PDB file of all heavy atoms in Angstrom:
ATOM      1  N   LEU A 626      79.356   0.695 -76.712  1.00  0.00           N
ATOM      2  CA  LEU A 626      79.894   1.356 -75.513  1.00  0.00           C
ATOM      3  C   LEU A 626      79.305   2.756 -75.368  1.00  0.00           C
ATOM      4  O   LEU A 626      78.929   3.167 -74.271  1.00  0.00           O
ATOM      5  CB  LEU A 626      81.419   1.413 -75.574  1.00  0.00           C
ATOM      6  CG  LEU A 626      82.129   0.048 -75.480  1.00  0.00           C
ATOM      7  CD1 LEU A 626      83.621   0.208 -75.782  1.00  0.00           C
ATOM      8  CD2 LEU A 626      81.936  -0.578 -74.109  1.00  0.00           C
ATOM      9  N   ASP A 627      79.214   3.485 -76.477  1.00  0.00           N
ATOM     10  CA  ASP A 627      78.662   4.841 -76.443  1.00  0.00           C
ATOM     11  C   ASP A 627      77.176   4.826 -76.073  1.00  0.00           C
ATOM     12  O   ASP A 627      76.711   5.615 -75.252  1.00  0.00           O
ATOM     13  CB  ASP A 627      78.833   5.533 -77.802  1.00  0.00           C
ATOM     14  CG  ASP A 627      80.276   5.913 -78.064  1.00  0.00           C
ATOM     15  OD1 ASP A 627      81.104   5.807 -77.144  1.00  0.00           O
ATOM     16  OD2 ASP A 627      80.585   6.317 -79.205  1.00  0.00           O
ATOM     17  N   VAL A 628      76.427   3.936 -76.706  1.00  0.00           N
ATOM     18  CA  VAL A 628      74.990   3.861 -76.442  1.00  0.00           C
ATOM     19  C   VAL A 628      74.747   3.445 -74.997  1.00  0.00           C
ATOM     20  O   VAL A 628      73.866   3.998 -74.321  1.00  0.00           O
ATOM     21  CB  VAL A 628      74.311   2.882 -77.431  1.00  0.00           C
ATOM     22  CG1 VAL A 628      72.909   2.496 -76.960  1.00  0.00           C
ATOM     23  CG2 VAL A 628      74.240   3.502 -78.819  1.00  0.00           C
ATOM     24  N   ALA A 629      75.529   2.481 -74.526  1.00  0.00           N
ATOM     25  CA  ALA A 629      75.366   2.013 -73.135  1.00  0.00           C
ATOM     26  C   ALA A 629      75.585   3.173 -72.156  1.00  0.00           C
ATOM     27  O   ALA A 629      74.812   3.370 -71.223  1.00  0.00           O
ATOM     28  CB  ALA A 629      76.336   0.883 -72.838  1.00  0.00           C
ATOM     29  N   GLU A 630      76.649   3.934 -72.402  1.00  0.00           N
ATOM     30  CA  GLU A 630      76.954   5.048 -71.504  1.00  0.00           C
ATOM     31  C   GLU A 630      75.814   6.065 -71.507  1.00  0.00           C
ATOM     32  O   GLU A 630      75.394   6.565 -70.449  1.00  0.00           O
ATOM     33  CB  GLU A 630      78.248   5.715 -71.958  1.00  0.00           C
ATOM     34  CG  GLU A 630      78.723   6.794 -71.018  1.00  0.00           C
ATOM     35  CD  GLU A 630      80.028   7.430 -71.495  1.00  0.00           C
ATOM     36  OE1 GLU A 630      80.894   6.707 -72.026  1.00  0.00           O
ATOM     37  OE2 GLU A 630      80.131   8.662 -71.368  1.00  0.00           O
ATOM     38  N   ASP A 631      75.280   6.375 -72.681  1.00  0.00           N
ATOM     39  CA  ASP A 631      74.200   7.357 -72.772  1.00  0.00           C
ATOM     40  C   ASP A 631      72.909   6.833 -72.160  1.00  0.00           C
ATOM     41  O   ASP A 631      72.195   7.578 -71.462  1.00  0.00           O
ATOM     42  CB  ASP A 631      73.945   7.732 -74.239  1.00  0.00           C
ATOM     43  CG  ASP A 631      74.920   8.788 -74.715  1.00  0.00           C
ATOM     44  OD1 ASP A 631      75.779   9.219 -73.917  1.00  0.00           O
ATOM     45  OD2 ASP A 631      74.857   9.173 -75.900  1.00  0.00           O
ATOM     46  N   LEU A 632      72.572   5.582 -72.402  1.00  0.00           N
ATOM     47  CA  LEU A 632      71.340   5.025 -71.814  1.00  0.00           C
ATOM     48  C   LEU A 632      71.418   5.066 -70.300  1.00  0.00           C
ATOM     49  O   LEU A 632      70.428   5.369 -69.632  1.00  0.00           O
ATOM     50  CB  LEU A 632      71.105   3.596 -72.301  1.00  0.00           C
ATOM     51  CG  LEU A 632      70.615   3.438 -73.741  1.00  0.00           C
ATOM     52  CD1 LEU A 632      70.586   1.950 -74.110  1.00  0.00           C
ATOM     53  CD2 LEU A 632      69.243   4.047 -73.946  1.00  0.00           C
ATOM     54  N   GLU A 633      72.602   4.806 -69.751  1.00  0.00           N
ATOM     55  CA  GLU A 633      72.765   4.823 -68.294  1.00  0.00           C
ATOM     56  C   GLU A 633      72.756   6.240 -67.750  1.00  0.00           C
ATOM     57  O   GLU A 633      72.024   6.553 -66.806  1.00  0.00           O
ATOM     58  CB  GLU A 633      74.065   4.108 -67.904  1.00  0.00           C
ATOM     59  CG  GLU A 633      73.966   2.602 -68.058  1.00  0.00           C
ATOM     60  CD  GLU A 633      75.284   1.863 -67.817  1.00  0.00           C
ATOM     61  OE1 GLU A 633      76.366   2.504 -67.949  1.00  0.00           O
ATOM     62  OE2 GLU A 633      75.230   0.664 -67.515  1.00  0.00           O
ATOM     63  N   SER A 634      73.568   7.112 -68.341  1.00  0.00           N
ATOM     64  CA  SER A 634      73.740   8.452 -67.768  1.00  0.00           C
ATOM     65  C   SER A 634      72.567   9.364 -68.055  1.00  0.00           C
ATOM     66  O   SER A 634      72.174  10.171 -67.203  1.00  0.00           O
ATOM     67  CB  SER A 634      75.048   9.081 -68.254  1.00  0.00           C
ATOM     68  OG  SER A 634      74.987   9.303 -69.645  1.00  0.00           O
ATOM     69  N   LEU A 635      71.969   9.250 -69.225  1.00  0.00           N
ATOM     70  CA  LEU A 635      70.871  10.166 -69.579  1.00  0.00           C
ATOM     71  C   LEU A 635      69.519   9.649 -69.145  1.00  0.00           C
ATOM     72  O   LEU A 635      68.618  10.440 -68.834  1.00  0.00           O
ATOM     73  CB  LEU A 635      70.850  10.401 -71.106  1.00  0.00           C
ATOM     74  CG  LEU A 635      72.094  11.034 -71.715  1.00  0.00           C
ATOM     75  CD1 LEU A 635      71.949  11.139 -73.226  1.00  0.00           C
ATOM     76  CD2 LEU A 635      72.345  12.409 -71.111  1.00  0.00           C
ATOM     77  N   TYR A 636      69.337   8.327 -69.124  1.00  0.00           N
ATOM     78  CA  TYR A 636      67.996   7.787 -68.884  1.00  0.00           C
ATOM     79  C   TYR A 636      67.931   6.851 -67.676  1.00  0.00           C
ATOM     80  O   TYR A 636      66.861   6.351 -67.351  1.00  0.00           O
ATOM     81  CB  TYR A 636      67.494   7.060 -70.127  1.00  0.00           C
ATOM     82  CG  TYR A 636      67.455   7.957 -71.359  1.00  0.00           C
ATOM     83  CD1 TYR A 636      68.365   7.783 -72.390  1.00  0.00           C
ATOM     84  CD2 TYR A 636      66.508   8.959 -71.465  1.00  0.00           C
ATOM     85  CE1 TYR A 636      68.335   8.595 -73.503  1.00  0.00           C
ATOM     86  CE2 TYR A 636      66.475   9.783 -72.583  1.00  0.00           C
ATOM     87  CZ  TYR A 636      67.397   9.588 -73.605  1.00  0.00           C
ATOM     88  OH  TYR A 636      67.367  10.399 -74.709  1.00  0.00           O
ATOM     89  N   GLY A 637      69.072   6.603 -67.041  1.00  0.00           N
ATOM     90  CA  GLY A 637      69.063   5.744 -65.855  1.00  0.00           C
ATOM     91  C   GLY A 637      68.682   4.311 -66.139  1.00  0.00           C
ATOM     92  O   GLY A 637      68.187   3.615 -65.252  1.00  0.00           O
ATOM     93  N   ILE A 638      68.910   3.854 -67.367  1.00  0.00           N
ATOM     94  CA  ILE A 638      68.580   2.485 -67.733  1.00  0.00           C
ATOM     95  C   ILE A 638      69.776   1.580 -67.402  1.00  0.00           C
ATOM     96  O   ILE A 638      70.927   1.935 -67.682  1.00  0.00           O
ATOM     97  CB  ILE A 638      68.245   2.407 -69.246  1.00  0.00           C
ATOM     98  CG1 ILE A 638      66.937   3.161 -69.512  1.00  0.00           C
ATOM     99  CG2 ILE A 638      68.158   0.961 -69.712  1.00  0.00           C
ATOM    100  CD1 ILE A 638      66.606   3.301 -70.991  1.00  0.00           C
ATOM    101  N   GLU A 639      69.513   0.446 -66.776  1.00  0.00           N
ATOM    102  CA  GLU A 639      70.585  -0.502 -66.482  1.00  0.00           C
ATOM    103  C   GLU A 639      70.983  -1.225 -67.764  1.00  0.00           C
ATOM    104  O   GLU A 639      70.149  -1.862 -68.409  1.00  0.00           O
ATOM    105  CB  GLU A 639      70.116  -1.523 -65.438  1.00  0.00           C
ATOM    106  CG  GLU A 639      71.180  -2.504 -65.039  1.00  0.00           C
ATOM    107  CD  GLU A 639      70.669  -3.544 -64.038  1.00  0.00           C
ATOM    108  OE1 GLU A 639      69.507  -3.454 -63.609  1.00  0.00           O
ATOM    109  OE2 GLU A 639      71.440  -4.460 -63.720  1.00  0.00           O
ATOM    110  N   VAL A 640      72.234  -1.109 -68.131  1.00  0.00           N
ATOM    111  CA  VAL A 640      72.692  -1.688 -69.394  1.00  0.00           C
ATOM    112  C   VAL A 640      73.776  -2.743 -69.156  1.00  0.00           C
ATOM    113  O   VAL A 640      74.737  -2.503 -68.435  1.00  0.00           O
ATOM    114  CB  VAL A 640      73.259  -0.607 -70.339  1.00  0.00           C
ATOM    115  CG1 VAL A 640      73.713  -1.208 -71.661  1.00  0.00           C
ATOM    116  CG2 VAL A 640      72.229   0.492 -70.584  1.00  0.00           C
ATOM    117  N   LEU A 641      73.574  -3.887 -69.742  1.00  0.00           N
ATOM    118  CA  LEU A 641      74.589  -4.939 -69.751  1.00  0.00           C
ATOM    119  C   LEU A 641      75.082  -5.081 -71.173  1.00  0.00           C
ATOM    120  O   LEU A 641      74.319  -4.865 -72.125  1.00  0.00           O
ATOM    121  CB  LEU A 641      73.989  -6.256 -69.257  1.00  0.00           C
ATOM    122  CG  LEU A 641      73.364  -6.201 -67.879  1.00  0.00           C
ATOM    123  CD1 LEU A 641      72.611  -7.505 -67.595  1.00  0.00           C
ATOM    124  CD2 LEU A 641      74.418  -5.978 -66.816  1.00  0.00           C
ATOM    125  N   LEU A 642      76.326  -5.440 -71.334  1.00  0.00           N
ATOM    126  CA  LEU A 642      76.902  -5.615 -72.677  1.00  0.00           C
ATOM    127  C   LEU A 642      77.322  -7.058 -72.870  1.00  0.00           C
ATOM    128  O   LEU A 642      77.810  -7.697 -71.929  1.00  0.00           O
ATOM    129  CB  LEU A 642      78.125  -4.692 -72.831  1.00  0.00           C
ATOM    130  CG  LEU A 642      77.829  -3.196 -72.801  1.00  0.00           C
ATOM    131  CD1 LEU A 642      79.064  -2.403 -72.409  1.00  0.00           C
ATOM    132  CD2 LEU A 642      77.310  -2.737 -74.153  1.00  0.00           C
ATOM    133  N   THR A 643      77.148  -7.583 -74.062  1.00  0.00           N
ATOM    134  CA  THR A 643      77.606  -8.950 -74.325  1.00  0.00           C
ATOM    135  C   THR A 643      79.139  -8.997 -74.402  1.00  0.00           C
ATOM    136  O   THR A 643      79.745 -10.012 -74.094  1.00  0.00           O
ATOM    137  CB  THR A 643      77.030  -9.514 -75.640  1.00  0.00           C
ATOM    138  OG1 THR A 643      77.325  -8.601 -76.693  1.00  0.00           O
ATOM    139  CG2 THR A 643      75.535  -9.742 -75.525  1.00  0.00           C
ATOM    140  N   ARG A 644      79.737  -7.893 -74.845  1.00  0.00           N
ATOM    141  CA  ARG A 644      81.199  -7.836 -74.866  1.00  0.00           C
ATOM    142  C   ARG A 644      81.644  -6.392 -74.733  1.00  0.00           C
ATOM    143  O   ARG A 644      80.961  -5.469 -75.165  1.00  0.00           O
ATOM    144  CB  ARG A 644      81.769  -8.473 -76.146  1.00  0.00           C
ATOM    145  CG  ARG A 644      81.462  -7.735 -77.438  1.00  0.00           C
ATOM    146  CD  ARG A 644      82.009  -8.500 -78.634  1.00  0.00           C
ATOM    147  NE  ARG A 644      81.717  -7.826 -79.910  1.00  0.00           N
ATOM    148  CZ  ARG A 644      82.601  -7.033 -80.542  1.00  0.00           C
ATOM    149  NH1 ARG A 644      83.788  -6.812 -80.039  1.00  0.00           N
ATOM    150  NH2 ARG A 644      82.261  -6.460 -81.683  1.00  0.00           N
ATOM    151  N   THR A 645      82.819  -6.219 -74.099  1.00  0.00           N
ATOM    152  CA  THR A 645      83.395  -4.879 -73.942  1.00  0.00           C
ATOM    153  C   THR A 645      84.771  -4.807 -74.572  1.00  0.00           C
ATOM    154  O   THR A 645      85.485  -3.822 -74.418  1.00  0.00           O
ATOM    155  CB  THR A 645      83.513  -4.497 -72.459  1.00  0.00           C
ATOM    156  OG1 THR A 645      84.283  -5.493 -71.791  1.00  0.00           O
ATOM    157  CG2 THR A 645      82.117  -4.398 -71.806  1.00  0.00           C
ATOM    158  N   GLU A 646      85.161  -5.890 -75.229  1.00  0.00           N
ATOM    159  CA  GLU A 646      86.451  -5.916 -75.901  1.00  0.00           C
ATOM    160  C   GLU A 646      86.352  -6.773 -77.150  1.00  0.00           C
ATOM    161  O   GLU A 646      85.296  -7.357 -77.425  1.00  0.00           O
ATOM    162  CB  GLU A 646      87.549  -6.429 -74.966  1.00  0.00           C
ATOM    163  CG  GLU A 646      87.215  -7.783 -74.377  1.00  0.00           C
ATOM    164  CD  GLU A 646      88.188  -8.217 -73.282  1.00  0.00           C
ATOM    165  OE1 GLU A 646      89.092  -7.456 -72.949  1.00  0.00           O
ATOM    166  OE2 GLU A 646      88.009  -9.330 -72.777  1.00  0.00           O
ATOM    167  N   ASP A 647      87.437  -6.864 -77.878  1.00  0.00           N
ATOM    168  CA  ASP A 647      87.423  -7.569 -79.159  1.00  0.00           C
ATOM    169  C   ASP A 647      87.568  -9.063 -78.971  1.00  0.00           C
ATOM    170  O   ASP A 647      88.654  -9.616 -79.087  1.00  0.00           O
ATOM    171  CB  ASP A 647      88.573  -7.017 -80.028  1.00  0.00           C
ATOM    172  CG  ASP A 647      88.557  -7.628 -81.425  1.00  0.00           C
ATOM    173  OD1 ASP A 647      87.517  -8.158 -81.833  1.00  0.00           O
ATOM    174  OD2 ASP A 647      89.609  -7.559 -82.095  1.00  0.00           O
ATOM    175  N   VAL A 648      86.466  -9.711 -78.615  1.00  0.00           N
ATOM    176  CA  VAL A 648      86.469 -11.156 -78.422  1.00  0.00           C
ATOM    177  C   VAL A 648      85.316 -11.764 -79.211  1.00  0.00           C
ATOM    178  O   VAL A 648      84.291 -11.116 -79.460  1.00  0.00           O
ATOM    179  CB  VAL A 648      86.288 -11.539 -76.938  1.00  0.00           C
ATOM    180  CG1 VAL A 648      87.518 -11.148 -76.133  1.00  0.00           C
ATOM    181  CG2 VAL A 648      85.021 -10.925 -76.346  1.00  0.00           C
ATOM    182  N   PHE A 649      85.504 -13.021 -79.606  1.00  0.00           N
ATOM    183  CA  PHE A 649      84.424 -13.731 -80.304  1.00  0.00           C
ATOM    184  C   PHE A 649      83.455 -14.302 -79.286  1.00  0.00           C
ATOM    185  O   PHE A 649      83.866 -14.902 -78.301  1.00  0.00           O
ATOM    186  CB  PHE A 649      84.990 -14.854 -81.181  1.00  0.00           C
ATOM    187  CG  PHE A 649      83.911 -15.666 -81.842  1.00  0.00           C
ATOM    188  CD1 PHE A 649      83.285 -15.190 -82.990  1.00  0.00           C
ATOM    189  CD2 PHE A 649      83.504 -16.895 -81.312  1.00  0.00           C
ATOM    190  CE1 PHE A 649      82.268 -15.918 -83.587  1.00  0.00           C
ATOM    191  CE2 PHE A 649      82.503 -17.622 -81.925  1.00  0.00           C
ATOM    192  CZ  PHE A 649      81.883 -17.141 -83.058  1.00  0.00           C
ATOM    193  N   ILE A 650      82.172 -14.123 -79.549  1.00  0.00           N
ATOM    194  CA  ILE A 650      81.132 -14.731 -78.730  1.00  0.00           C
ATOM    195  C   ILE A 650      80.172 -15.397 -79.693  1.00  0.00           C
ATOM    196  O   ILE A 650      79.684 -14.762 -80.636  1.00  0.00           O
ATOM    197  CB  ILE A 650      80.385 -13.679 -77.886  1.00  0.00           C
ATOM    198  CG1 ILE A 650      81.367 -12.921 -76.982  1.00  0.00           C
ATOM    199  CG2 ILE A 650      79.295 -14.357 -77.053  1.00  0.00           C
ATOM    200  CD1 ILE A 650      80.743 -11.754 -76.246  1.00  0.00           C
TER     201      ILE A 650
END
Side-chain angles (χ1 to χ4, degrees):
L626 293 171
D627 287 351
V628 165
E630 186 180 321
D631 278 359
L632 286 174
E633 287 174 337
S634 65
L635 299 177
Y636 302 108
I638 293 172
E639 182 182 356
V640 181
L641 303 171
L642 295 157
T643 53
R644 66 183 179 98
T645 56
E646 55 189 2
D647 184 19
V648 292
F649 176 79
I650 302 172

